[in-house]
């Protein structure tokens, strides 16, 4: 199998460290550089926790792409940084695999146009955990039979966006097979604003942020005399790496942008 040269953005972050480990320990991946907001010009091996990983650190992503010319960028940083890096990567012919959320429809349309103009692939996924993707697919299946549904997503208290990209993506998938409707009593009134959560096409979405959590989601369906709960839990960040690996391998074969891991798993 051809070696894939990879750059990782945000190597000192919790997700970034897992991504560095994944690339470093995958036989047909080659870590060629990292992008960090500090330590420019140093070797990653000089940073705590990266002994023996001797690749250059760049603070300037553009210079990194110009000098290193990698095949793929893995970016698991923040929404704003992820958007900037994805666009810059495509401009330089580097295939981005982005795991941050917060991309708008306009963002995705712009990046799709750029990817297709360059004739290369891009993968943007709200969630790289294969179990989470199956949870979303199962929820879409259930929505054909249960039209009343609410989503509860639970994440660590350092997450920047709410609701999560996974919750929004789940609601999007459900709305494809579920008729639009307002749930609950027609005269329902919130005595505390926000008590019923946010809504997507009439589907309430509730966000929980607590220390100790990683990434969790429940999709609860209600019907006459029964309820169905579909839940996924990520207990550590290594749970996302199987999806990242699949995305890096798949993005090399694409010539457009794919949004959502569910579109590339069999």
């Amino acid at each position: 199998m051809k070696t894939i040269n990879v750059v990782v953005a945000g190597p000192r972050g919790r997700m970034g460290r897992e991504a560095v480990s994944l690339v470093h320990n995958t036989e047909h991946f080659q870590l060629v550089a990292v992008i960090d907001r500090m330590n420019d010009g140093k070797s990653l091996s000089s940073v705590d926790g990266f002994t023996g990983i001797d690749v250059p650190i760049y603070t300037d992503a553009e210079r990194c792409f110009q000098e290193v010319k990698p095949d793929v960028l893995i970016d698991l940083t923040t929404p704003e940084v992820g958007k900037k890096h994805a666009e810059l990567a495509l401009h330089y012919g580097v295939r981005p695999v982005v795991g941050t959320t917060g991309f708008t429809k306009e963002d995705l349309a712009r990046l799709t146009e750029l990817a297709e103009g360059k004739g290369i692939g891009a993968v943007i996924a709200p969630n790289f955990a294969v179990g989470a993707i199956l949870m979303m697919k199962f929820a879409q299946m259930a929505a054909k039979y249960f039209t009343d549904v609410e989503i509860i997503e639970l994440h660590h208290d350092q997450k920047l966006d709410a609701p999560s990209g996974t919750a929004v993506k789940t609601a999007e998938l459900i709305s494809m097979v579920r008729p639009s409707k307002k749930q609950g009593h027609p005269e329902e009134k919130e005595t505390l604003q926000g008590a019923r959560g946010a809504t997507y096409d009439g589907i309430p979405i509730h966000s929980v942020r607590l220390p100790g959590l990683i990434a969790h989601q429940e999709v609860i369906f209600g019907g006459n005399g029964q309820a169905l709960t579909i839940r996924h839990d990520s207990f550590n960040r290594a749970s996302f790496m199987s999806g990242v690996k699949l995305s890096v391998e798949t993005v090399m074969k694409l010539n457009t942008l794919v949004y959502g891991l569910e579109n590339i798993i069999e």
Side-chain angles (χ1 to χ4, degrees):
M1 187 177 292
K2 182 180 181 293
T3 298
I4 301 171
N5 293 324
V6 180
V7 165
V8 174
R12 291 179 298 108
R14 286 169 291 189
M15 287 288 285
R17 285 182 180 272
E18 292 289 348
V20 168
S21 178
L22 168 72
V23 176
H24 185 64
N25 292 301
T26 301
E27 186 174 354
H28 57 288
F29 291 178
Q30 179 69 44
L31 185 68
V32 291
V34 296
I35 301 170
D36 196 5
R37 58 184 175 83
M38 56 192 300
N39 299 312
D40 187 48
K42 293 184 179 180
S43 170
L44 186 60
S45 61
S46 68
V47 179
D48 286 347
F50 296 104
T51 302
I53 305 179
D54 189 20
V55 298
I57 300 172
Y58 288 83
T59 56
D60 186 333
E62 186 168 13
R63 188 163 67 87
C64 177
F65 298 147
Q66 289 173 336
E67 295 181 2
V68 178
K69 297 180 173 58
D71 299 311
V72 174
L73 164 73
I74 298 176
D75 188 297
L76 307 172
T77 57
T78 64
E80 289 309 311
V81 173
K83 290 178 189 180
K84 177 183 175 182
H85 282 171
E87 188 164 352
L88 195 61
L90 287 169
H91 179 75
Y92 281 98
V94 179
R95 296 162 170 82
V97 170
V98 183
T100 53
T101 57
F103 285 82
T104 66
K105 290 180 180 179
E106 292 75 20
D107 293 329
L108 295 173
R110 185 180 70 257
L111 293 171
T112 298
E113 183 179 3
L114 187 54
E116 291 178 352
K118 290 286 187 178
I120 61 175
V123 174
I124 297 174
N127 198 316
F128 279 115
V130 172
I133 306 309
L134 294 173
M135 175 263 297
M136 289 190 278
K137 283 181 170 286
F138 295 157
Q140 186 181 45
M141 291 171 59
K144 296 177 182 179
Y145 307 97
F146 293 85
T147 58
D148 287 84
V149 54
E150 302 206 10
I151 298 170
I152 304 173
E153 55 95 350
L154 310 92
H155 283 80
H156 56 90
D157 61 345
Q158 299 302 302
K159 186 170 176 60
L160 297 177
D161 56 322
S164 69
T166 299
V168 174
K169 185 67 176 179
T170 304
E172 289 175 354
L173 292 171
I174 289 172
S175 68
M176 291 171 62
V177 299
R178 167 189 175 275
S180 295
K181 61 178 289 187
K182 187 180 185 305
Q183 299 178 179
H185 196 285
E187 297 180 15
E188 178 183 79
K189 180 181 178 181
E190 289 182 331
T191 56
L192 285 176
Q193 186 176 358
R196 293 292 291 119
T199 59
Y200 182 98
D201 199 27
I203 303 168
I205 303 177
H206 311 272
S207 295
V208 177
R209 298 289 178 267
L210 289 171
L213 299 176
I214 300 294
H216 318 264
Q217 182 169 294
E218 287 188 355
V219 187
I220 305 175
F221 296 90
N224 289 329
Q226 60 181 320
L228 171 66
T229 300
I230 301 170
R231 179 177 175 117
H232 175 261
D233 298 277
S234 283
F235 297 112
N236 59 49
R237 289 167 179 82
S239 65
F240 303 111
M241 291 304 112
S242 59
V244 173
K245 180 175 181 290
L246 175 63
S247 296
V248 170
E249 293 167 341
T250 303
V251 79
M252 296 296 295
K253 307 169 189 175
L254 300 174
N255 57 11
T256 187
L257 183 147
V258 172
Y259 179 65
L261 194 65
E262 71 277 3
N263 294 308
I264 64 173
I265 66 173
E266 295 180 0

